Amino acid sequence: MQEKLMEICAAFRIPGRLSDWEELKVGNINKTYKVTFTRDNGFEKTYIVQQLNTYVFKNPEQVMENIEQVTRHLRAQRPGQVNLHFHHTREGKNFVWEGEHFWRLFNYVPSADAANDRDETLVRNAGAAFGDFQNALSGFDPSQLHETIPDFHNTIKRYEALEAALQQNTAARADEVKQELQWLMQAKDKACVLCDLLESGELPLRVTHNDTKVNNVLFDQKDKRALVVIDLDTVMPGLAGNDFGDAIRSVSNTAAEDEKDVGKVSCDLQLFRCFTEGFLENTAKAFTVKEIETFGASCFSMTVEVAVRFLTDYLQGDTYFHCAYPEHNLVRARAQIALAQDMQRKMDEMNRIVAECAAKYRA
Ligand code: GN1
Ligand code: MG
């Protein structure tokens, strides 16, 4: 691996010698490495090298075109802030192909480990960071962006894929997932409500992040200030509710996304409130009343949608998400179903909190 990393870094013209490297086990899709280079004068610099998953991203060069434009826009909008800088090769490309592998390299930002941190300040700051991301991109023309994964948050199509996977039963696992399927099928209409409202023209398309897990924000190690939103692979036209709901799915969960003991999974309403406060503080005026009204429901939609995706992948033999063990996708699907069920029980309260925050910050 070391040799390969040296080769990739050389293509991006990184000076010095590779003095340290490690694989970072983050994310379910790409492979990520942290590399440190030391120059002759002793100066050290650390970078992130990533191998993009080309099974998931069929047009990786389009992903990088989007990233080029989005990071340029963000840097212009927020010049004083930490930003992501993707390095270029001699040919002026922000990627390299190495055989069938696709690589990119960007600046490493030291940050707090937030994956399991449910500190209220951190959660509020995460909300503010994703809210600010929306604001910063509000002037960005969505037609400039490639749809890196078509129908990414089209919950209706995600259900169609699940039904097809069940029919094909490639991995011969259909018999194991009957209960999960039954629950997901009865939840379908409710889960697809955002898609229905988009289709009927009641919700506007914006430029959204589309993968707003809390570990896609980096936080300052000392004061837990949000530094920068990362993982820009799925920045595409989308709904505000996609970003809000997907973030709540991760940030309000009292357990890990892949918790085996579903009894530990629940939606923490205090954390829900913290995130909502942060998210709406500087965005409430920009969103339509209808959009904000969908935020509670969007949490349920996004949680069910990812459960559908995990179960689909399980039925297909784990071709999409990285898995650490054979039942990993099934465990993930079960945990997400448990979370969606808890959200369902708490939906009135969630809607009330959203309405309160919106009223406060619209005034
Ligand atoms: C994937 O790679 P990562 O961990 O940021 C997935 C998201 C899912 C998430 C679930 C491109 O995100 O959509 O919500 O796993 N990204 C893609 O953990 O499919
Ligand atoms: Mg991602």
Side-chain angles (χ1 to χ4, degrees), residues 27-30 57 152 209 211 213 216 230-234:
N28 297 328
I29 304 291
N30 300 321
F57 296 102
F152 191 59
H209 182 279
D211 188 3
K213 285 198 292 199
N216 281 334
I230 59 165
D231 192 355
L232 306 175
D233 297 338
T234 49

Side-chain angles (χ1 to χ4, degrees), residues 70-358:
V70 168
T71 50
R72 192 186 304 137
H73 185 90
L74 291 173
R75 274 198 298 276
Q77 293 289 313
R78 303 286 183 264
Q81 288 182 11
V82 176
N83 277 299
L84 295 183
H85 297 268
F86 285 79
H87 287 238
H88 291 81
T89 62
R90 193 164 287 109
E91 297 76 39
K93 298 202 160 112
N94 59 358
F95 58 84
V96 285
W97 281 106
E98 183 253 346
E100 55 186 22
H101 294 155
F102 187 92
W103 295 88
R104 62 190 177 191
L105 183 149
F106 55 98
N107 53 316
Y108 166 70
V109 179
S111 60
D113 181 8
N116 303 307
D117 194 338
R118 293 296 176 270
D119 173 78
E120 290 190 9
T121 308
L122 180 139
V123 170
R124 191 190 163 108
N125 291 346
F130 283 126
D132 187 61
F133 191 82
Q134 290 274 309
N135 277 341
L137 288 174
S138 62
F140 190 91
D141 173 7
S143 71
Q144 297 296 303
L145 290 175
H146 303 285
E147 211 178 339
T148 52
I149 302 181
D151 296 312
F152 191 59
H153 283 314
N154 185 329
T155 316
I156 299 173
K157 294 229 165 130
R158 295 294 189 181
Y159 265 98
E160 285 169 11
L162 173 62
E163 286 169 71
L166 184 66
Q167 288 304 317
Q168 284 155 4
N169 196 14
T170 316
R173 288 168 162 174
D175 285 344
E176 296 167 46
V177 302
K178 288 206 173 102
Q179 245 182 317
E180 290 73 20
L181 266 172
Q182 198 188 359
W183 189 84
L184 288 172
M185 293 321 291
Q186 64 72 41
K188 183 174 177 181
D189 288 350
K190 227 189 212 176
C192 294
V193 63
L194 285 194
C195 295
D196 297 341
L197 289 169
L198 174 64
E199 209 160 294
S200 61
E202 288 170 78
L203 293 175
L205 266 187
R206 300 182 179 276
V207 175
T208 47
H209 182 279
N210 296 307
D211 188 3
T212 48
K213 285 198 292 199
V214 66
N215 60 3
N216 281 334
V217 183
L218 301 185
F219 299 90
D220 187 274
Q221 283 160 327
K222 282 198 219 93
D223 59 11
K224 303 199 172 163
R225 193 165 40 97
L227 297 172
V228 60
V229 170
I230 59 165
D231 192 355
L232 306 175
D233 297 338
T234 49
V235 176
M236 285 181 282
L239 299 173
N242 296 146
D243 277 5
F244 180 83
D246 202 28
I248 291 295
R249 177 182 81 72
S250 89
V251 91
S252 78
N253 192 348
T254 50
E257 182 178 78
D258 56 356
E259 173 60 55
K260 287 183 180 154
D261 178 358
V262 293
K264 291 186 180 159
V265 174
S266 70
C267 171
D268 181 318
L269 287 178
Q270 181 54 24
L271 295 178
F272 177 85
R273 180 183 286 278
C274 292
F275 185 90
T276 307
E277 288 260 351
F279 189 75
L280 283 180
E281 184 168 5
N282 295 311
T283 56
K285 290 196 173 88
F287 292 135
T288 68
V289 172
K290 186 76 196 169
E291 269 179 307
I292 295 178
E293 269 174 23
T294 66
F295 281 2
S298 74
C299 303
F300 181 79
S301 292
M302 297 304 294
T303 307
V304 173
E305 182 186 279
V306 86
V308 166
R309 294 174 60 197
F310 286 143
L311 203 66
T312 304
D313 200 33
Y314 186 67
L315 288 169
Q316 290 176 332
D318 312 317
T319 54
Y320 189 98
F321 295 103
H322 291 325
C323 285
Y325 53 92
E327 306 79 37
H328 204 165
N329 272 320
L330 180 58
V331 166
R332 286 170 173 145
R334 286 183 176 148
Q336 296 302 299
I337 289 173
L339 183 61
Q341 289 170 338
D342 194 49
M343 287 172 171
Q344 204 166 20
R345 287 189 283 273
K346 293 174 176 163
M347 193 50 69
D348 288 347
E349 188 58 20
M350 287 162 69
N351 283 330
R352 195 157 33 239
I353 294 169
V354 170
E356 266 172 39
C357 295

Side-chain angles (χ1 to χ4, degrees), residues 25-39:
K25 293 281 179 197
V26 290
N28 297 328
I29 304 291
N30 300 321
K31 282 200 180 137
T32 306
Y33 303 87
K34 180 180 164 190
V35 299
T36 301
F37 276 73
T38 307
R39 298 195 200 168

